[in-house]
Each structure stands twice: as C-alpha cells, then as structure tokens.
Amino acid sequence: SPNYDPYYQGDGIYNQGSLTIENCNLFNNFGQAIWSGTYTQGADLTIRDSTISRNYDHGIGIQGGSADIFRSTIDRNNWSGVVVHGGAYVDIVNSTITGNQTPYSGAGIAVFDNSTVYVDSSTVAHNYAPYAGGGIMITSGSAYLYHTIMSGNGASFGQEVTVYGGSVTTYDAILGHAGQTNGDAFYGFTPGWSDLNATQGGASIPLTTIVS
C-alpha cells in the first residue's frame, strides 16, 4: 500500500539486515518499493513469488550485500526496475522485468559500483530510458545474461544493452528484434556465439514473435 519517506530509503521496505519477502505485492509507494542495504553496510535480501509494481521510484534498490530474486515480476516502476550499487551480488532467476521507465539510463536493470548481476531464465522487455540502456545499463562491474530474453526495450541508443564500463556476458540469450539494427540495440556490447541475435543484423525476428 502507499507509503512515503522523504529520505527515499525504502518507502515500502527498508532492509538493514536479512530479509525474505515471499508471495507479496508491493505497489504504489511514493519512492522505491524496497531498499536493501546502507551506504556503510550491505544487507541480504531474498524475494520469491512476488510482484513489485507501479512504485514512484525504483522497484528494488540494492546497496551492497546480496539479493536473490526468484519467480517474481518487477513492472511499471518509474525509476528503473532493479538498481544495484555498492559492489552488491544479485541473482535474478525465472523473473520478468517489464514496463519500467527512468528519466535517465538503465530502465530495466542498472548496475553501478563494481556490482555483479546474474540474470537467468528471465525476461527483460518493454522498459524505456530516454538516454541509454532500456533493458540493462552497466557502468562498472559484471552482468551475466543466461537463457534470458532481452527484447523490446527502448532508449536513444543501446536500447537493449549498454555497457559504459565493466562487462556483460551472455549465453543462450535472445537479444533485440527485427525493428532494430545492431547499432540501435547494443552499445559497448556484441552478442555471443550462443545467443540468438534477433536484430536486422542477425536473425531479424519480429518483436511480436519474441514477447507479447
């Protein structure tokens, strides 16, 4: 339900220790739904079978520590779906990140501060950033996309994947769609040998065939 914290430290939930969220729906908070960790100490977060939706700020903000997100939906948040800071380690498995937006870059997932994010068997689609990285943006650290769909995201450039620093490693991922060139879809990144590059420069698969 709606909550407001003027300091934006987890308007829905502020985790400073170890927290498990299961079978929950966190929505309509005036800031982020969940903020995990502090600027001096990380925290541990587990989310299972939950929906994080329509929050004014981040869906999930992670500052250090670790987070495991399983079988959950993160959608229609107004300042990125998942934002990772402080060298955090994050697993996102069997989850959907969709319909999120940001006024800057990194609408679906944004990775900072030498953090590490693994995305496995998930869908990141229909997120929008006015600048870069509609699907995922990384400024430092590492991101791994395994068996994951990254398609239908929008931005001025790097619509699916933007890498300013650090690295993105993919395996058996579906990336982009026929309405994009490689230059539209990717910035600082090239799909791997095992991926299905669905852009005009690859298999040229329509978006509607990939995600609804």
Side-chain angles (χ1 to χ4, degrees):
S1 61
N3 293 289
Y4 175 67
D5 172 1
Y7 296 101
Y8 290 92
Q9 291 180 317
D11 295 339
I13 296 172
Y14 182 23
N15 174 36
Q16 300 181 65
S18 181
L19 175 68
T20 297
I21 297 169
E22 193 163 8
N23 296 313
C24 289
N25 186 3
L26 293 123
F27 65 98
N28 284 356
N29 293 284
F30 289 105
Q32 52 261 351
I34 304 166
W35 184 268
S36 184
T38 72
Y39 290 102
T40 59
Q41 182 176 343
D44 298 317
L45 174 68
T46 300
I47 301 172
R48 299 190 190 97
D49 304 302
S50 295
T51 298
I52 316 298
S53 181
R54 292 172 287 151
N55 298 284
Y56 181 79
D57 207 313
H58 312 323
I60 303 170
I62 301 159
Q63 177 71 40
S66 66
D68 296 309
I69 302 167
F70 303 109
R71 301 180 302 276
S72 293
T73 297
I74 303 161
D75 74 313
R76 292 174 289 168
N77 299 287
N78 285 330
W79 205 312
S80 304
V82 180
V83 179
V84 186
H85 297 271
Y89 185 100
V90 178
D91 284 320
I92 302 170
V93 181
N94 289 327
S95 294
T96 299
I97 300 173
T98 186
N100 301 285
Q101 59 184 344
T102 177
Y104 299 108
S105 298
I109 303 170
V111 184
F112 304 94
D113 304 333
N114 291 311
S115 300
T116 301
V117 177
Y118 284 86
V119 185
D120 193 356
S121 304
S122 296
T123 297
V124 182
H126 302 306
N127 303 285
Y128 177 75
Y131 297 107
I136 186 170
M137 177 197 69
I138 180 168
T139 64
S140 65
S142 302
Y144 300 85
L145 310 177
Y146 296 159
H147 317 290
T148 286
I149 295 171
M150 183 78 65
S151 186
N153 299 290
S156 295
F157 62 94
Q159 294 170 353
E160 308 296 348
V161 180
T162 290
V163 181
Y164 287 125
S167 64
V168 172
T169 301
T170 53
Y171 180 78
D172 197 26
I174 299 174
L175 304 168
H177 60 86
Q180 301 166 312
T181 65
N182 282 342
D184 295 330
F186 314 122
Y187 180 84
F189 165 81
T190 301
W193 65 269
S194 65
D195 300 324
L196 176 56
N197 178 4
T199 69
Q200 296 169 18
S204 194
I205 300 173
L207 177 61
T208 53
T209 302
I210 301 168
V211 291
S212 57

